Amino acid sequence: MEEKLNLTAEWDKTFPKSDKVNHRKITFHNRYGITLAADLYEPKNAEGKLPAIAVCGPFGAVKEQASGLYAQTMAERGFLTIAFDPSFTGESGGSPRYVASPDINTEDSQAAVDFLSVQDNVDPEKIGIIGICGWGGMAINAAAIDTRIKATVASTMYDMTRVNAKGYFDAEDSEEARYEKRVALNAQRTEDYKKGEYKRAGGVVDPLPDDAPFFVKDYYDYYKTSRGYHKRSLNSNEGWNVTSTLSFLNMPILQYSNEIRSAVLVVHGEKAHSCYFSKDAFKNLKGDNKELLIIPGAVHTDLYDQMDIIPFDKMTEFFNEYLK
């Protein structure tokens, strides 16, 4: 039995509503019994069974931000799409709130494929996924396990397990650094249990320090300003349960990405601080249906919402080739 969610009826996205698609809220459930909330976008006057795409990300964001923009835009181009909130986040269910798991979050993408596969107006042999930022890694992880996924786009990809286990740019890649991180996080678990609530952290820093690195300023410009702020976004507010990173330290994703037989397009900005994730992930992929696309001059959050920079034409060409 699906848990009942309280879904917002108003249009509260960070982007304008398109007059080329029909939009409605839907729910579906994953194999952990968590009910997920999503926005469904369908091309107007569409007939027959359509190719479909599920979209999620960035990590800590909600479907009213970048993933919804991607989903709506791809629906304008002929695909039935859903943008969903992952478990424990946004309008989706799951308790406690604000936690993350490489296992459950990979399952969320598979559950989205479950939902799309049984829709009367979807061709179950033509389903793809798009993962943005931290969900780019999760999308590739899902493609490695789910043979129903015929095409995957990872946009401005993050490997959340790698950044938590090794630090930004692998600067904390040592047994000692990981041990100290585990000590601190497990001490926090004790404090959380005493207090009966979870400490939250990981949202974008506010106020922004004068000496903040460029990538922190980049996130701030998106999540803390009217450009990308949303009241339900963890990145716009206090962030995740701070001890969520423990599971990322212990369970790395992308272990079998070299065995993905379906098509994969990895997209990244040339000046994005996290570009090394995409390049390394691409090196592990095999087959002539894999492609890496670096966007000249683009920084990380340009691929969240900058319509003149996000390569929608290329993504449409990619999905048309492998889904239509």
Side-chain angles (χ1 to χ4, degrees), residues 208 216-228 301:
L208 185 69
V216 175
K217 295 179 181 178
D218 187 28
Y219 287 136
Y220 186 92
D221 288 343
Y222 180 76
Y223 285 111
K224 290 293 189 177
T225 68
S226 58
R227 175 184 163 199
T301 61

Side-chain angles (χ1 to χ4, degrees), residues 23-232:
H23 163 266
R24 59 187 171 93
K25 290 287 188 75
I26 59 99
T27 61
F28 57 96
H29 64 275
N30 67 20
R31 290 281 180 114
Y32 290 94
I34 299 170
T35 301
L36 305 179
D39 287 293
L40 185 148
Y41 300 90
E42 181 183 12
K44 285 188 174 179
N45 304 315
E47 297 181 357
K49 290 185 176 292
L50 301 174
I53 303 170
V55 192
C56 195
F59 216 86
V62 288
K63 64 189 180 304
E64 288 75 21
Q65 297 169 301
S67 61
L69 175 64
Y70 273 61
Q72 179 175 262
T73 303
M74 295 308 292
E76 291 178 333
R77 293 163 178 249
F79 303 88
L80 185 144
T81 66
I82 60 171
F84 65 93
D85 286 332
S87 296
F88 316 110
T89 307
E91 291 186 309
S92 285
S95 180
R97 306 298 292 168
Y98 320 122
V99 297
S101 161
D103 183 21
I104 296 175
N105 293 149
T106 300
E107 161 63 21
D108 288 341
S109 287
Q110 292 192 263
V113 176
D114 292 342
F115 170 83
L116 291 172
S117 295
V118 301
Q119 301 309 300
D120 290 340
N121 57 346
V122 168
D123 186 335
E125 298 299 320
K126 298 179 179 180
I127 295 176
I129 59 175
I130 298 175
I132 306 166
C133 192
W135 275 84
M138 294 298 175
I140 294 177
N141 206 48
I145 197 171
D146 199 325
T147 56
R148 300 171 301 171
I149 298 170
K150 305 306 183 191
T152 301
V153 169
S155 180
T156 199
M157 193 201 94
Y158 249 78
D159 179 344
M160 297 301 295
T161 56
R162 178 174 171 180
V163 74
N164 281 290
K166 299 183 179 182
Y168 280 106
F169 308 107
D170 296 342
E172 300 170 5
D173 185 15
S174 71
E175 180 180 342
E176 187 62 28
R178 279 186 286 276
Y179 179 77
E180 293 301 325
K181 189 177 294 186
R182 292 181 185 114
V183 168
L185 291 173
N186 283 297
Q188 186 61 50
R189 285 181 65 104
T190 303
E191 289 302 310
D192 290 348
Y193 199 83
K194 287 179 181 178
K195 295 177 180 178
E197 61 182 11
Y198 298 110
K199 180 180 179 181
R200 291 174 61 184
V204 177
V205 62
D206 190 15
L208 185 69
D210 292 336
D211 61 349
F214 173 76
F215 71 88
V216 175
K217 295 179 181 178
D218 187 28
Y219 287 136
Y220 186 92
D221 288 343
Y222 180 76
Y223 285 111
K224 290 293 189 177
T225 68
S226 58
R227 175 184 163 199
Y229 177 84
H230 196 277
K231 61 185 178 182
R232 287 191 293 274

